């Protein structure tokens, strides 16, 4: 929408900025003209149309961010734009890691880049690195200073030097912005605690329990065991403050436009460090409304759209990942709806699919996974998933009951089975994990544990059985393969590439013992990772298998996310498969999630597209003779095929 008044405002501001009228700035101008009316409309909607100051502030932030953006980043913005969805490419593969637990600090990190490159990684997600109080940190998600790197990891200059090293290797950087809450040690929180009205308005304070009690009726609890309830008492003020996560993480009040502007400026600060993907932490929670569950509210989406549009003008090369771990129908809204489709988050975590892979592995039955697909297939072209099997968080089982029912199962009994299977309580389960966030009021629980331990490697090693060890490695690779080829960026979790098992030492650390997610956040022992070079060790089997999968993925442009994924009909519940299709290539990815041998008929291949004449399995390198429709393709336990036409 063209709005003369806004364009005049821009021209005035542009003149004042002394930006030269070169081509690169012309592009900025064009981006501005296309987005500014929407920015004004959303800002009016959220903060009232008489509040011109808010809009002015947003304009100032955009201009300052653009002016401060380094020329090489501006150039890179345009190069990325030309690639038409640089982040959809099959060339990207990421890893999330804690700087201290992986390399000690930022200074040491570059020396491990060759290891990551050798694995096939070219995108690094550094887990939160900005200042966070050691004992009350929530793994860095309780931020006390958004602009200062925590001294445990180094300095901002170390981060900048590290980024230069990444750029030299054409590698990408992803970091977090924790927008929903700050640490109680943040200067805003300290001032609020001291009774400073301006900063008390940055948070949600209540004089008594009346409103908190009413809100609790409809608000779920995120950490029911370690931090029950959604409000904390602040002794100094004799008041209550909203703290949805831990009581040392106070929720920011986005109804206050100053909070929005502060966060927008922090986002631009990260963008101008050269960040390629910004992970917006917990965006589902950023708007609260009495009588609702205070998640996924329309205003939360508006705020994300506002951030996206501002970013599109000043730092368009930075993609946005929304870390919304929410029900399948809700997640789709984070890609933007209606005219905002593709103008909200570029990426979302494929948490539904991640959890459903674990569901299929535990049950040997892919029906629930299949039942969820119609919901999550509607993602708009131009946006993508972040696919993963494990991350630093727990595995939630929050997919809809209806999906379980559609598979003919009882949701309560099914979830009980999964919880018992992964927490190691069921006698026949090789998985070794633990229940996290158990809520006796709702019967909910999530699951902690490393990829290897949940796939049975820890148990198999304790039993000393080579056969079971091999089976668990096969499961690890099945899980990774299934997520790598779906479309979207695979994000590995550090340690999983060599099969780290659970680490129980967190129980001895007072700052961590209340949170069993630490069992799957290993401290890297590089002598163990070195074993990846020695064929006698499980570390080698897991590493070389993962490396091979990533290599195959990079060689197949059809795996880029161009909305070209087709699920094959389920003819055998243990086996699921999808076809990745382009004009010149078809790749059939087929997975046996069960512990027994299985078959499907060749008929399934002809159902989705023209029946191929000759196939080769890219995983084993072997040709696969294609039988008649009624003849079988045979699978060993947990076997998968990556089949392409020869
Ligand atoms: C996100 C993080 C999680 C953290 C929470 C609160 O979900 O992934 O680790 O506990 O936000 O910041």
């Amino acid at each position: 929408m063209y709005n003369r008044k806004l364009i005049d405002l821009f021209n005035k501001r542009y003149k004042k900025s002394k930006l030269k009228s070169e081509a690169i700035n012309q592009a900025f101008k064009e981006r501005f003209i296309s987005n500014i009316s929407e920015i004004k409309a959303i800002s009016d909607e959220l903060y009232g149309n008489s509040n011109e100051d808010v809009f002015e502030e947003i304009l100032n932030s955009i201009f300052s961010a653009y002016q401060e953006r380094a020329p090489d980043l501006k150039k890179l913005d345009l190069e990325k734009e030309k690639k038409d969805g640089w982040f959809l490419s099959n060339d990207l593969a990421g890893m999330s890691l804690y700087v201290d637990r992986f390399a000690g600090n930022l200074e040491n990190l570059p020396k491990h880049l060759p290891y990551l490159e050798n694995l096939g990684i070219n995108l690094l997600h550094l887990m939160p690195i900005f200042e966070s109080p050691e004992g009350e940190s929530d793994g860095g998600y309780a931020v006390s200073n958004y602009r200062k790197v925590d001294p445990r990891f180094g300095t901002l200059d170390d981060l900048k030097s590290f980024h230069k090293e990444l750029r030299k290797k054409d590698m990408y950087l992803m970091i977090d912005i924790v927008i929903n809450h700050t640490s109680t040690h943040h200067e805003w929180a300290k001032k609020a605690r001291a009774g400073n009205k301006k900063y008390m308005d940055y948070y949600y304070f209540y004089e008594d329990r009346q409103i908190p009690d009413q809100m609790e009726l409809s608000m779920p609890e995120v950490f029911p065991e370690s931090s029950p309830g959604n409000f904390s008492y602040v002794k100094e003020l004799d008041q209550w403050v909203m703290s949805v996560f831990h009581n040392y993480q106070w929720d920011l009040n986005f109804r206050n436009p100053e909070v929005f502007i502060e966060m927008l400026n922090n986002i631009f600060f990260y963008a101008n460090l050269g960040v390629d993907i910004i992970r917006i932490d917990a965006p589902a929670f950023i708007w609260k409304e009495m009588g609702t569950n205070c998640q996924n509210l329309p205003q939360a989406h508006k705020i994300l759209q506002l951030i996206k549009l501002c970013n599109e003008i000043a730092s368009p090369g930075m993609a946005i990942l929304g870390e919304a771990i929410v029900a399948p129908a809700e997640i789709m809204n984070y890609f933007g709806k209606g005219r905002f489709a593709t103008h909200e988050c570029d990426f979302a975590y494929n948490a539904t699919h991640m959890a459903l892979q674990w569901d299929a592995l535990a049950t040997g039955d892919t029906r629930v996974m299949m039942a969820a697909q119609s919901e999550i297939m509607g993602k708009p072209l131009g946006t993508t998933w972040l696919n993963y099997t494990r991350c630093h968080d727990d595995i939630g089982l929050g997919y809809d009951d209806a999906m379980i029912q559609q598979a003919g199962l009882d949701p309560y009994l099914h979830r009980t089975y999964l919880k018992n299977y992964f927490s190691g309580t069921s006698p026949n389960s090789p998985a070794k994990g633990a229940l996290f966030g158990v809520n006796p009021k709702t019967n909910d629980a999530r699951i902690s544990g490393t990829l290897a331990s949940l796939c049975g490697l820890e148990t198999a090693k304790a039993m000393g059985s080579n056969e079971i060890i091999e089976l668990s490695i096969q499961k690890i690779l099945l899980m990774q393969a299934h997520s790598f080829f779906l479309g979207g960026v695979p994000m590995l979790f550090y340690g999983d590439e060599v099969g780290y098992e659970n680490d129980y030492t967190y129980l001895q650390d007072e700052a961590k013992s209340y949170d069993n997610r630490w069992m799957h956040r290993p401290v890297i022992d590089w002598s163990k990772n070195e074993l990846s070079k020695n064929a006698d060790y499980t570390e080698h089997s897991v590493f070389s298998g993962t490396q091979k999968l990533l290599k195959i993925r990079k060689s197949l442009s059809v795996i880029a996310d161009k909305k070209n994924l087709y699920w094959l009909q389920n003819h055998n519940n243990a086996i699921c498969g999808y076809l990745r299709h382009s004009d010149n290539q078809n790749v059939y990815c087929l997975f046996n999630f069960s512990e027994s041998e299985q078959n499907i008929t060749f008929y399934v291949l002809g159902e989705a597209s023209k029946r191929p004449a000759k196939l080769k399995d890219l995983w084993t390198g072997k040709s696969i003779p294609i039988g008649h429709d009624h003849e079988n393709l045979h699978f060993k336990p947990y076997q998968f095929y990556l089949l392409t036409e020869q």
Side-chain angles (χ1 to χ4, degrees), residues 138 141 178 181 223 245 249 279 281-282 323 392-393 517 521:
D138 187 21
Y141 287 102
V178 185
H181 44 259
F223 297 130
F245 290 85
Q249 290 162 308
R279 175 190 184 274
D281 186 63
E323 188 256 345
H392 68 288
D393 279 333
R517 290 177 298 174
R521 300 171 178 175

Side-chain angles (χ1 to χ4, degrees), residues 18-31:
K18 301 206 174 71
L19 283 165
K20 294 201 189 99
S21 59
E22 45 196 317
I24 208 154
N25 294 333
Q26 196 53 39
F28 165 65
K29 220 167 167 174
E30 281 162 18
R31 297 195 300 264

Side-chain angles (χ1 to χ4, degrees), residues 415-427 429 431 435 447:
R415 288 205 177 87
T416 306
Y417 171 83
L418 295 176
K419 285 185 277 183
N420 291 342
Y421 181 92
F422 286 117
S423 62
T425 24
S426 78
S429 167
L435 296 184
I447 291 147

